[in-house]
């Protein structure tokens, strides 16, 4: 090899273990060869000898080590006396190089670790295994402690003699605090679940129950011991596995959450309860593990009351139909027979009677439709229908009834496969609402659009509009807005509910856009003819 540059007296080769550059007398300049077989005579032509030796010298590596602030790097002799100390060690442990050199490494260990001779045991582990890894509390100059992670390696000279040890250590205190906070948050969330009065559970991605509230176990009539660490499919013997698979292996595979998922559960006494599940996938910020949170609600009583209400509506609508029809016919006969003989007052009240009977007929029809929808008997009689022609027919029927201008914008003809009577019912309801809820506007616009997949009808008014907080309830049964009630505008809140069900049966969609005091536009779409 080439002659050592002036000022260099010792040559060492770095082994596979890091930081061997620090071995030996730290005050003696050391020339370092980086890898086996890399002879110093092979200096690239473009690199000067002085620069090459500098980049392979102890001075170069010392400067590198001094630039690492986050890691404490120090070396000791065989007795554990510290003989080198980088800037990172000062930053992590608080001692300057001058203060610590010559001190035994025990000074940075806790009293308990020193009583257990941990420093000596670590040195022995290094000699036996070639290195040692440890995480434990260490002591700073000011006496405070921190959690540090260290790697300890042996140091050898050129002849293979064991000269000492080198350690690389990092302060994990900053990492440990967030971990503790995360673990605390995890424990807190589990405690919230377990003490909740609502039936709730946490599942892992294999759908094994990790935690659950006491009310969850009571709902399914199982003990905590039999449920925890069991699959959601197995913790209760009478669960409908196929129905649950529809949720967990179907919906939650593609969706992050699902609400209002219903299934039946048979109790030990043979009775059946109707359960509703709300579920959501989350990722634990502690260990990045995917979890599923379940909230379960027993809606059996609600369904019983709902069924009683549906039965009442069904019976009432059928029972009302016949007497109301008779009253209507009787009023019309009386009005005709007394047209010339009766006093104006009698004629006036006969007309009022006829009007109110019409309202009863309409209400009975609404209730009958609701009953059919709730019992699954609401069916369609589809035929080829010119939707543009149906819109114009609806306008002609309603113009004599209302004082508003009702206009149509769209193609002269547009065919669709639909139930003529029910589509007419939807159009009449939307236009009637547009007129009713825009008493001072005087204009309603109906538009028809077509694209490759669907036909879209819009009915626009310029009236009261719907407040944002009430918009979510518009298509629910018996829904009426606060403004409509305050202005005492007549209605029962069933028209939009029935219209929405009609459009859904056709495979279409219904929606709206609205701003308070600026009006509303209701839309519905129907699939085009293939």
């Amino acid at each position: 090899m080439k002659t050592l540059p002036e000022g260099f007296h010792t040559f060492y080769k770095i082994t596979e273990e890091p930081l061997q550059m620090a071995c030996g007398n730290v005050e003696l300049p050391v020339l370092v060869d980086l890898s086996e077989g890399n002879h110093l005579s092979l200096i690239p032509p473009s690199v000067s000898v002085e620069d090459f030796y500098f980049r392979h010298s102890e001075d170069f590596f010392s400067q590198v080590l001094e630039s690492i602030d986050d890691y404490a790097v120090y070396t000791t002799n065989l007795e554990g006396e510290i003989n080198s100390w980088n800037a990172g060690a000062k930053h992590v442990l608080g001692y300057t190089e001058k203060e610590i050199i010559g001190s035994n490494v025990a000074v940075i260990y806790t009293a308990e670790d020193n009583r257990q001779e941990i420093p000596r045991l670590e040195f022995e582990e290094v000699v036996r295994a070639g290195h040692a890894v440890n995480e434990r509390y260490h002591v700073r100059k000011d006496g405070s402690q921190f959690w540090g992670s260290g790697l300890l390696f042996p140091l050898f000279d050129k002849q293979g003699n064991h000269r000492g040890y080198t350690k690389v250590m990092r302060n994990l205190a900053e990492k440990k605090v967030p971990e503790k906070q995360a673990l605390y948050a995890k424990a807190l969330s589990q405690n919230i679940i377990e003490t909740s009065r609502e039936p709730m559970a946490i599942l892992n991605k294999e759908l094994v129950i990790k935690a659950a509230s006491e009310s969850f176990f009571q709902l399914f009539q199982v003990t905590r011991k039999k449920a925890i660490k069991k699959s959601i499919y197995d913790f209760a013997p009478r669960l409908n596995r196929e129905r649950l698979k529809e949720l967990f292996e179907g919906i939650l595979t593609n969706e992050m959450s699902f609400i209002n998922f219903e299934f039946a559960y048979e109790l030990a006494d043979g009775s059946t309860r109707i359960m509703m599940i709300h579920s959501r996938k989350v990722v634990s910020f502690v260990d990045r593990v995917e979890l599923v949170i379940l909230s379960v609600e027993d809606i059996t009583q609600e369904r019983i009351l709902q069924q009683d209400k549906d039965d009442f509506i069904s019976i009432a609508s059928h029972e009302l139909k016949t007497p109301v029809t008779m009253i209507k016919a009787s009023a019309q006969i009386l009005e005709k027979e007394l047209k010339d003989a009766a006093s104006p007052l009698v004629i006036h009240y006969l007309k009022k009677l006829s009007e109110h009977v019409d309202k009863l007929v309409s209400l009975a029809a609404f209730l009958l439709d609701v009953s059919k929808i709730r019992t699954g008997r609401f069916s369609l009689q589809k035929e080829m229908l010119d939707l543009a022609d149906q819109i114009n027919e609806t306008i002609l029927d309603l113009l004599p009834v209302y004082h508003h201008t009702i206009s149509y914008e769209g193609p002269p003809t547009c065919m669709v496969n639909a139930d003529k009577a029910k589509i007419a019912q939807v159009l009449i309801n939307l236009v009637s609402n547009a007129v009713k809820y825009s008493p001072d506007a005087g204009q309603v616009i109906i538009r028809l659009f077509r694209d490759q997949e669907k036909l879209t009808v819009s009915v626009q008014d310029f009236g009261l509009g719907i407040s944002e907080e009430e918009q979510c309830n518009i298509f629910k049964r018996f829904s009426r807005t606060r403004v409509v009630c305050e202005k005492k505008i007549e209605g029962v809140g069933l028209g939009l509910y029935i219209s929405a069900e009609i459009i859904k049966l056709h495979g279409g969609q219904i929606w709206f856009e609205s701003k308070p005091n600026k009006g509303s536009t209701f839309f519905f779409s129907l699939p085009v003819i293939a």
Side-chain angles (χ1 to χ4, degrees), residues 267-299:
L267 299 179
D269 60 8
S271 62
T272 299
R273 311 299 293 178
I274 306 299
M275 308 294 190
M276 181 179 288
I277 286 182
H278 311 288
S279 59
R280 183 172 184 84
K281 287 192 295 188
V282 298
V283 176
S284 168
F285 58 84
V286 178
D287 46 19
R288 311 307 298 170
V289 172
E290 188 176 278
L291 302 171
V292 176
I293 297 178
L294 294 185
S295 173
V296 187
E297 182 182 0
D298 185 345
I299 59 170

Side-chain angles (χ1 to χ4, degrees), residues 118-132:
I118 294 299
R120 180 183 62 79
L121 293 176
E122 286 184 353
F123 289 155
E124 291 178 358
E125 173 70 15
V126 168
V127 173
R128 182 177 68 256
H131 68 278

Side-chain angles (χ1 to χ4, degrees), residues 320-321 323-332 350-364:
L320 278 172
K321 191 174 181 181
V324 167
T325 302
M326 291 300 298
I327 293 171
K328 173 70 174 177
S330 300
Q332 289 175 337
L350 283 173
K351 288 183 178 180
K352 284 290 183 183
L353 175 62
S354 183
E355 289 174 4
H356 285 289
V357 169
D358 286 339
K359 291 178 182 178
L360 274 175
V361 170
S362 177
L363 177 59

Side-chain angles (χ1 to χ4, degrees), residues 9-22:
H9 306 286
T10 308
F11 170 82
Y12 288 109
K13 186 185 296 288
I14 292 181
T15 69
E16 62 188 57
E17 304 291 1
L19 303 174
Q20 293 287 3
M21 77 293 293

Side-chain angles (χ1 to χ4, degrees), residues 5 39 83 91 95 113 127 142 162 183 199 204 213 225 282 284 287 304 310-311 318 361 386 422 443 494 520:
H39 301 293
N83 52 26
H91 174 75
Y95 294 96
D113 283 349
V127 173
D142 61 7
H162 185 195
L183 291 171
N204 64 14
S213 63
K225 184 177 180 180
V282 298
S284 168
D287 46 19
I304 291 173
D310 290 340
D311 291 343
H318 280 92
V361 170
D386 187 336
K422 287 185 170 57
Q443 183 184 19
L494 290 173
S520 304

Side-chain angles (χ1 to χ4, degrees), residues 145-159:
Q145 298 183 9
F146 67 92
W147 190 261
S149 174
L151 297 174
L152 189 63
F153 300 95
L155 290 175
F156 300 94
D157 61 19
K158 185 178 179 181
Q159 288 73 37

Side-chain angles (χ1 to χ4, degrees), residues 158-313:
K158 185 178 179 181
Q159 288 73 37
N161 299 314
H162 185 195
R163 299 290 300 275
Y165 305 92
T166 184
K167 188 167 188 177
V168 183
M169 182 171 62
R170 187 181 184 189
N171 181 0
L172 294 183
E174 294 180 358
K175 177 183 176 184
K176 207 69 180 176
V177 170
E179 282 184 357
K180 287 182 178 179
Q181 292 174 340
L183 291 171
Y184 173 77
K186 181 179 180 180
L188 178 62
S189 63
Q190 288 188 346
N191 288 334
I192 291 173
I193 292 290
E194 292 174 356
T195 59
S196 171
R197 296 181 62 183
E198 300 297 324
M200 300 181 70
I202 299 177
L203 318 179
N204 64 14
K205 64 179 180 179
E206 285 79 29
L207 303 181
V208 172
I209 300 172
K210 305 294 289 183
S213 63
E214 191 60 38
S215 54
F216 179 85
F217 304 122
Q218 292 174 359
L219 178 62
F220 291 99
Q221 296 184 347
V222 295
T223 63
R224 180 182 295 273
K225 184 177 180 180
K226 288 184 177 180
I228 292 296
K229 297 184 180 180
K230 294 288 184 65
S231 167
I232 190 67
Y233 298 129
D234 301 329
F235 87 100
R238 286 168 293 277
L239 274 176
N240 187 328
R241 294 171 63 95
E242 295 304 316
R243 183 70 173 137
L244 286 180
K245 282 183 178 180
E246 184 180 336
L247 171 64
F248 294 114
E249 298 178 17
I251 298 168
L252 283 180
T253 300
N254 303 311
E255 304 291 338
M256 286 300 296
S257 63
F258 190 82
I259 61 173
N260 302 337
F261 182 88
E262 291 187 25
F263 70 100
Y265 178 65
E266 183 183 346
L267 299 179
D269 60 8
S271 62
T272 299
R273 311 299 293 178
I274 306 299
M275 308 294 190
M276 181 179 288
I277 286 182
H278 311 288
S279 59
R280 183 172 184 84
K281 287 192 295 188
V282 298
V283 176
S284 168
F285 58 84
V286 178
D287 46 19
R288 311 307 298 170
V289 172
E290 188 176 278
L291 302 171
V292 176
I293 297 178
L294 294 185
S295 173
V296 187
E297 182 182 0
D298 185 345
I299 59 170
T300 307
Q301 192 61 32
E302 180 183 333
R303 285 291 177 265
I304 291 173
L305 293 174
Q306 186 64 61
Q307 186 60 51
D308 290 344
K309 197 159 56 175
D310 290 340
D311 291 343
F312 170 77
I313 290 174

